[in-house]
Amino acid sequence: MSMTDPRTPSRVALITGASTGLGETVAEFLGGDGWRLVLTARTESDLTAVAKRLTDRGVTVVAVAGDVGEAAHRERLIAEAGSLGRLDWLVNNASQMGVSPIRPLLDHPVDVFEKVLRTNVVAPVALAQLALPLLRDSGGLVVNLSSEAAVDVFPCAGIYGASKAALDQASRIIAAELADTGVGITSVDPGGIRTRGYAEAEPGFDLSGVPTPDVTLPFWKWLVQTSSGEVSGRRYLAQAGPWDAR
């Protein structure tokens, strides 16, 4: 069921890392629910393919390839959302694992660690900062994609896990700071899912038993029917409904 009021323009979501995996799944779900989309990813060919598939189904899509770690790209994304007249969801899904195959934390070059933090922590916060005026107008929601690596210890996934833990904490703090604004922010741990990044990080691991990202669809169906205020400051496990605060 869509919660879009037929008297108002359809809702708009900005989704980062939207060319494959979970980002692609969320884009397809929201597009099918009548949302208009601003999509971004680093690989232009993959992003273009997703955008074409959605537009062929009648979905309004603005696709802008680029790196969310770059300030100019973030500014353009928010401007594109503004051109659609509103922003209801900012989905910070783009992330980097670090060196692939993964290796111990202290074996990572420092510049790689800095790049992961820039993509996984700085960029989501910076995008939320830029998006805030639009989100205030819509009573919108920032959805930060977390990971089980943020709370559990996975050797050789230290950079990724540390960045997601930092994003979780930033989400909680921002939620408290925005408590009286009508804007919500939540963390979503999708659980173990089969993605290109996972395969690249652990090339010897058999992913045949790992679910695909569409295993999270019941969660997204629930979330679009739930107000920003109800979920703000909470962390959800997308594969473990019914969904209560974690």
Side-chain angles (χ1 to χ4, degrees), residues 7-197:
R7 297 167 298 178
T8 61
S10 58
R11 292 193 283 183
V12 174
L14 165 54
I15 306 171
T16 70
S19 63
T20 63
L22 184 63
E24 179 182 4
T25 296
V26 175
E28 290 188 342
F29 166 66
L30 292 180
D33 196 47
W35 291 52
R36 294 170 293 156
L37 306 173
V38 178
L39 306 180
T40 190
R42 285 175 295 166
T43 305
E44 186 170 11
S45 58
D46 290 341
L47 182 65
T48 299
V50 171
K52 183 180 186 305
R53 187 166 65 249
L54 290 169
T55 54
D56 286 348
R57 298 173 188 169
V59 181
T60 298
V61 179
V62 178
V64 186
D67 185 346
V68 294
E70 298 177 356
H73 183 60
R74 295 192 296 265
E75 291 168 1
R76 181 176 175 191
L77 293 174
I78 301 304
E80 294 290 358
S83 72
L84 294 178
R86 59 187 294 152
L87 180 62
D88 299 86
W89 275 17
L90 166 60
V91 183
N92 285 309
N93 173 67
S95 64
Q96 294 196 35
M97 291 287 293
V99 174
S100 292
I102 55 175
R103 64 175 71 169
L105 180 59
L106 295 183
D107 286 347
H108 267 77
V110 171
D111 65 326
V112 174
F113 202 171
E114 291 173 340
K115 186 174 183 179
V116 169
L117 290 173
R118 186 165 63 249
T119 300
N120 297 7
V121 185
V122 176
V125 173
L127 276 168
Q129 185 179 54
L130 292 170
L132 187 56
L134 288 171
L135 293 170
R136 285 180 186 269
D137 289 342
S138 65
L141 180 67
V142 179
V143 181
N144 286 332
L145 270 298
S146 184
S147 167
E148 55 193 344
V151 294
D152 295 324
V153 175
F154 294 99
C156 296
I159 286 180
Y160 182 73
S163 70
K164 291 300 184 179
L167 184 60
D168 279 351
Q169 182 68 347
S171 299
R172 285 189 287 264
I173 292 169
I174 295 170
E177 294 169 344
L178 295 179
D180 299 323
T181 68
V183 177
I185 182 165
T186 189
S187 295
V188 178
D189 176 356
I193 53 176
R194 195 186 317 163
T195 64
R196 181 185 299 175

Side-chain angles (χ1 to χ4, degrees), residues 228-245:
S228 297
E230 291 180 68
V231 300
S232 191
R234 298 183 175 185
R235 185 179 192 275
Y236 292 96
L237 305 180
Q239 294 188 42
W243 292 282
D244 299 314

